[in-house]
């Protein structure tokens, strides 16, 4: 798992996150160092019977039945912009 | 004063809930200017309180990532500061209120619980009450510092890789991370969902048991909640350790541990032996891989969980965006601090096409090996004893340029989260360290899944040296 050099700007774009030039430079060296440490995982010998271990972190979904919801007014009160009981956002669709 | 003492005073009529809140406010005004544990605290009235309930009339401080109706919930982030008010109570808050407690104040934390020092809070820097030039530990630094400074009687924190236990150790208080699934996370702002747990920070082990009793239990609103009855923790807490087998894993006492930490922990182990426990050397060979495993899994989950912070439904929205995609990019740039950005990028990278198997799948398999270490150990022993952290609290700012160094300091606390087992930090003395004469040291006790009764029993014996 010898890691390729991480393209911080590209990954930040995938994460929908703008970065300053200073942040790109700083994160580049810090993330290379962290990934270098993570690479130690490659040296571990994995036994063949790992798949047999019971997963104790299974999420169990509740029944899909109606239940009381939050007060819309309180929820919308946290939105940066709201109008007509809905969250208001900048225009999504371009002009025809 | 402990919760048990306060309950007695309340039921005897020597004080009132309103007086307790007033006393806390006075103490906060006197002390919190230096410690800065509180992000905010209200002047809420105590209201109608049933003093006969288990926590009747007791104010409990709340980490600022647990939703409490009508109160702010900043998560230590500019993203939510000043703009967000909780529209509901987290299940732990509902349970505290049902037990008669009064949620009081919002406690500082590393932004979105990402950090081991509370230096990553975008709101303020919390200082260790034992030495203001030192970190409190983190991410529940405010919750630990408030208990240590006497500005809270007890608090709630959250623990993803040690965020309750490590600050408890650094501040000289008790901190308990329950079994994964024992306490509902509904209403806790998610960081890494396969690791997060809520738990108490208190002055004593008895107080930790009292709060755990109130907040534990099944909740259909958390899909990972375990539908298993909650035992009466007070029934066995004083049973002592005579005849118990306590495992001492060699991997937790090797290179890198400060001699003062080792000495204090070993003394406390000898104390447990003198009380009749059998001390059993054990090996947990995959411990050394815990940090690398965690720093794949936790950022991966965080990058997904934090995608909800996009400037649309809540939090701050950038006002200079050109279109909706630009709103996401610019709101996240302005709202998140450096550690959160670093982990989002790391998490996005390890989950990205071409790297997923090499990093994420691999880390999940190593996590299974670490879990196996625990299963095999608990076939031989009743509980495991280790240090909480390799050193006492470091100086503020000493890891600013090198986050990996801080990550590595979580080596002893991360394995419990990866395996989902309960663990507690109990103060076990002080040591000189890096120019300070006496800083608190914590001993960690770990028990099998849902073994909180055993955990508290051993912790109570360890506490009474």
């Amino acid at each position: 798992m010898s890691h390729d050099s991480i393209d911080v700007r590209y990954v930040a774009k995938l994460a929908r996150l703008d970065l300053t030039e200073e942040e790109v430079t700083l994160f580049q060296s810090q993330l290379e160092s962290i990934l270098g440490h993570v690479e130690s995982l490659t040296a571990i010998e994995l036994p063949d019977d790992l798949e047999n271990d019971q997963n104790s972190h299974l999420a169990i979904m509740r029944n899909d039945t109606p239940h009381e919801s939050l007060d819309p007014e309180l929820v919308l009160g946290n939105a940066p912009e709201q109008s007509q009981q809905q969250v208001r956002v900048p225009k999504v669709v371009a002009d025809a | 004063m402990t919760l048990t003492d306060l309950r007695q005073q309340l039921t005897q009529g020597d004080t009132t809930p309103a007086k307790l809140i007033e006393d806390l406010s006075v103490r906060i005004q006197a002390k919190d200017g230096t410690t800065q544990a509180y992000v905010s605290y209200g002047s809420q009235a105590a209201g109608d309180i049933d003093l006969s309930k288990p926590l009747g009339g007791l104010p409990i401080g709340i980490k600022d990532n647990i939703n409490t109706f009508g109160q702010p919930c900043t998560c230590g982030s500019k993203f939510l500061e000043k703009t967000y008010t909780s529209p509901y109570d987290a299940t732990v808050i509902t349970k505290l209120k049902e037990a008669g407690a009064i949620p009081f104040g919002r406690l500082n934390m590393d932004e979105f619980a990402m950090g081991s020092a509370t230096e990553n809070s975008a709101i303020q820097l919390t200082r260790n009450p034992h030495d203001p030039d030192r970190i409190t530990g983190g991410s529940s630094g405010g919750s630990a510092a408030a208990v240590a400074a006497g500005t809270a009687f007890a608090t709630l924190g959250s623990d993803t890789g040690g965020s309750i236990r490590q600050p408890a150790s650094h501040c000289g208080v008790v901190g308990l991370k329950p079994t994964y699934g024992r306490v509902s996370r509904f209403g806790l702002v998610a960081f890494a969902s396969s690791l997060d747990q809520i738990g108490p920070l208190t002055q004593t082990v008895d107080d930790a048991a009292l709060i755990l009793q109130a907040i534990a239990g099944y909740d259909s609103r958390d899909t990972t909640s375990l539908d298993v009855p909650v035992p009466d923790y007070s029934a066995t807490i004083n049973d002592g350790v005579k005849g118990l087998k306590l495992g001492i894993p060699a991997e937790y006492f090797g290179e890198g541990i400060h001699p003062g930490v080792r000495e204090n922990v070993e003394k406390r182990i000898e104390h447990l032996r003198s009380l009749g426990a059998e001390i059993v050397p054990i090996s947990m060979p995959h411990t050394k891989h815990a940090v690398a495993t965690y720093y794949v899994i936790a950022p991966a989950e965080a990058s997904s969980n934090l995608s909800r912070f996009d400037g649309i439904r809540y939090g701050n929205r950038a006002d200079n965006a050109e279109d909706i995609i630009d709103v996401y990019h610019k709101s996240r740039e302005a709202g998140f601090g450096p550690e959160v950005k670093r982990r989002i990028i790391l998490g996005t990278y390890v989950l990205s096409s071409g790297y997923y198997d090499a990093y994420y799948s691999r880390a999940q398999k190593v996590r299974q090996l670490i879990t196996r270490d625990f299963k095999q150990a608990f076939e031989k022993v009743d509980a495991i004893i280790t240090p909480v952290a390799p050193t006492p609290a470091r100086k503020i700012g000493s890891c600013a340029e090198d986050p990996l160094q801080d990550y590595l300091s979580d080596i002893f606390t991360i394995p419990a989260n990866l395996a989902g087992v309960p663990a507690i930090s109990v103060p076990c003395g002080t040591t000189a360290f890096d120019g300070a004469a006496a800083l608190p040291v914590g001993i960690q006790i770990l028990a099998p899944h849902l073994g909180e009764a055993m955990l508290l029993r051993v912790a109570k014996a360890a506490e009474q040296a």
Side-chain angles (χ1 to χ4, degrees):
Chain A
M1 186 176 64
S2 178
H3 71 268
D4 304 333
S5 182
I6 179 172
D7 183 343
V8 169
R9 206 184 307 273
Y10 174 70
V11 179
K13 195 177 165 193
L14 291 178
R16 299 206 154 152
L17 181 63
D18 278 359
L19 297 178
T20 63
E21 283 305 317
E22 291 76 27
E23 284 174 325
V24 171
T25 308
L26 180 67
F27 292 166
Q28 186 75 46
S29 64
Q30 290 174 335
L31 290 169
E32 293 288 351
S33 161
I34 294 163
L35 287 168
H37 178 73
V38 165
E39 249 185 277
S40 63
L41 297 178
T42 50
I44 304 166
E45 204 172 315
L46 296 173
D48 297 332
D49 62 345
L50 260 189
E51 301 301 323
N52 301 335
D53 281 18
Q54 198 186 353
N55 184 352
S56 60
H57 295 112
L58 284 179
I60 297 159
M61 309 301 278
R62 65 169 176 245
N63 292 330
D64 185 17
T65 50
H67 57 96
E68 201 181 335
S69 64
L70 297 174
D71 181 341
E73 212 163 293
L74 291 175
V75 174
L76 285 165
N78 281 318
E81 285 185 68
Q82 57 154 311
S83 172
Q84 299 171 350
Q85 282 245 311
Q86 293 176 65
V87 174
R88 193 177 165 90
V89 297
K91 192 162 67 173
V92 178
V93 182
D95 292 327
Chain B
M1 193 168 287
T2 67
L3 296 184
T4 312
D5 293 339
L6 288 169
R7 277 193 75 204
Q8 197 174 2
Q9 286 198 1
L10 283 163
T11 49
Q12 288 174 350
D14 296 339
T15 189
T16 64
K19 180 78 170 48
L20 291 182
I21 288 179
E22 195 185 314
D23 286 352
L24 279 184
S25 302
V26 169
R27 282 192 231 173
I28 292 167
Q29 281 165 25
K31 290 185 173 178
D32 207 54
T34 307
T35 311
Q36 299 202 88
Y38 282 85
V39 174
S40 60
Y41 64 98
S43 51
Q44 71 257 48
D48 260 351
I49 300 290
D50 181 351
L51 295 180
S52 68
K53 290 187 170 178
L55 298 174
L58 297 171
I60 308 289
I62 308 297
K63 186 176 181 179
D64 210 10
N65 59 350
I66 299 172
N67 278 274
T68 305
F69 179 81
Q71 294 191 14
C73 186
T74 69
C75 296
S77 179
K78 294 282 180 206
F79 220 120
L80 296 170
E81 192 188 15
K82 295 176 187 161
T83 56
Y84 180 81
T85 303
S86 297
Y88 68 106
D89 275 338
T91 297
V92 289
I93 300 298
T94 305
K95 281 179 168 281
L96 281 182
K97 287 178 177 173
E98 283 170 358
I102 306 161
F104 176 80
R106 311 292 305 172
L107 291 157
N108 196 30
M109 53 183 283
D110 285 303
E111 185 175 7
F112 290 106
M114 296 180 190
S116 311
T118 316
E119 288 175 306
N120 294 333
S121 169
I123 313 288
Q124 64 199 29
L125 176 67
T126 301
R127 294 174 181 276
N128 193 314
H130 296 270
D131 179 347
D133 293 332
R134 299 198 178 251
I135 60 164
T136 55
S139 66
S140 310
S143 298
V147 175
T151 53
F153 301 119
T155 59
L156 289 187
S158 65
D159 191 316
T160 305
S163 284
I164 289 174
R165 290 160 287 153
Q166 184 254 21
S169 176
H170 283 356
C171 292
V173 302
V174 173
L176 191 163
K177 181 203 88 73
T179 303
Y180 185 78
R182 180 74 290 185
V183 174
S184 167
R185 295 94 48 85
F186 176 75
L188 169 72
V189 177
F191 161 17
S193 304
S194 77
L195 303 159
D196 297 339
Q197 265 294 285
I198 297 172
L201 293 100
T202 56
Q203 295 170 60
T204 65
V205 174
D206 278 328
D207 284 359
L210 203 58
I211 294 187
L212 180 65
Q213 195 77 52
I215 62 174
Y218 177 66
D219 178 16
S220 63
R221 290 175 296 185
D222 177 350
T223 60
T224 62
S225 180
L226 296 171
D227 194 359
V228 178
V230 181
D232 178 0
Y233 297 120
S234 66
T236 51
I237 198 166
N238 293 313
D239 282 1
V241 290
K242 193 171 182 186
L244 293 184
K245 289 183 178 174
L246 304 179
I248 312 297
E251 292 79 3
Y252 285 72
F253 291 84
E255 208 179 320
I257 181 171
H258 182 265
V261 171
R262 179 198 295 271
E263 188 186 334
N264 275 291
V265 172
E266 286 180 346
K267 265 189 196 166
R268 209 51 70 102
I269 291 168
E270 280 312 306
H271 170 68
L272 291 168
R273 191 201 299 271
S274 74
L275 294 175
E278 183 185 343
I279 304 301
V280 182
I282 58 171
S283 176
M284 305 187 75
H286 297 98
T287 305
K288 59 180 177 288
H289 305 302
V291 173
T293 305
Y294 178 86
Y295 278 97
V296 172
I297 292 170
E301 293 180 11
S303 70
S304 172
N305 275 326
L306 269 64
S307 63
R308 72 192 59 173
F309 296 98
D310 54 9
I312 301 298
R313 290 154 296 162
Y314 37 69
N316 288 307
R317 180 184 292 182
D319 53 12
N320 57 342
E322 291 170 8
D323 55 34
I324 194 159
I325 302 294
D326 207 29
V327 167
Y328 304 151
H329 281 259
K330 288 201 166 80
S331 298
R332 287 159 70 79
E333 156 67 1
F336 291 139
E339 183 62 25
V340 175
K341 288 176 183 169
R342 202 155 34 229
R343 295 205 200 186
I344 287 175
I345 292 169
L346 183 57
T348 305
Y349 180 70
V350 300
L351 289 177
S352 62
S353 175
Y355 296 100
Y356 181 94
D357 282 339
Y359 289 105
Y360 189 71
S361 297
R362 184 93 189 165
Q364 290 291 14
K365 286 175 182 154
V366 180
R367 180 180 189 168
Q368 280 180 273
L369 291 178
I370 291 166
T371 306
R372 265 190 192 184
D373 278 358
F374 279 97
K375 280 183 183 159
Q376 287 165 0
F378 287 128
E379 284 167 10
K380 296 179 205 145
V381 298
D382 297 296
I384 294 169
I385 314 276
T386 77
V388 178
T391 70
R394 63 168 173 79
K395 285 180 179 157
I396 289 167
S398 59
C399 279
E401 298 301 316
D402 190 0
L404 180 60
Q405 281 314 306
D406 237 14
Y407 296 175
L408 291 170
S409 72
D410 295 337
I411 179 73
F412 300 151
T413 49
I414 282 173
N417 299 82
L418 291 172
V421 299
I424 191 169
S425 170
V426 178
C428 70
T430 60
T431 184
F433 174 63
D434 191 21
L439 292 172
V441 175
I443 186 169
Q444 178 173 233
I445 298 145
L446 305 102
H449 275 101
L450 293 170
E452 278 82 358
M454 173 61 70
L455 189 76
L456 289 159
R457 182 178 159 188
V458 178
K460 181 79 186 276
E463 180 184 42
Q464 293 173 320

